[in-house]
Amino acid sequence: MGFVAGGFTEGTWNHPTLGTGVLFPKSAEDATLDLGGNRSADDANMITANGQMIDQMNYVRGSFEATIANDMNSNLEAEKMNALANSPVLADWTFTHISGAVYAGKGKPVGDIQANTNAATFTLKVAFTGKVSKIAG
């Protein structure tokens, strides 16, 4: 078997005061998953005068970004993400890939949450504290 590619089929969130919910990414759209962890700077000048590499390592938070379907009548996904973004308390998240892989982390929406009312979508970026973990698949 080769590589399994494709989109994420759903995201779930569980917040101690705002409740729980399910989000549905738009099909055939790109999604980005950053597991987080240590990264080395990509800088050609990070070298000593005698040719030894200087490895500048910094920790980066994990994240997930995708185009999410938005129902303005009853599910109110964009409004719920706005409420989560306004809370200082982080939620528990899972994101399920079409391959069956499930990733989990604790985080919150970051950046703009702007509903496209014509396409019934919005771009969601969730940033996580620490790393994102694969929990299934």
Side-chain angles (χ1 to χ4, degrees), residues 12-21 84 90-94 105-107:
T12 67
W13 54 272
N14 182 9
H15 189 274
T17 59
L18 299 173
T20 64
L84 288 170
L90 302 179
D92 293 313
W93 293 82
T94 64
K106 185 178 266 317

Side-chain angles (χ1 to χ4, degrees), residues 74-134:
S74 58
N75 290 338
L76 307 173
E77 289 86 356
E79 285 87 344
K80 291 174 184 174
M81 294 305 100
N82 191 51
L84 288 170
N86 279 288
S87 175
V89 178
L90 302 179
D92 293 313
W93 293 82
T94 64
F95 291 98
T96 304
H97 189 260
I98 198 165
S99 67
V102 181
Y103 294 88
K106 185 178 266 317
K108 67 184 292 184
V110 296
D112 292 332
I113 301 169
Q114 299 174 334
N116 180 327
T117 60
N118 193 48
T121 61
F122 64 97
T123 300
L124 174 67
K125 182 172 185 179
V126 177
F128 298 100
T129 183
K131 295 180 184 178
V132 177
S133 301
K134 186 176 181 182

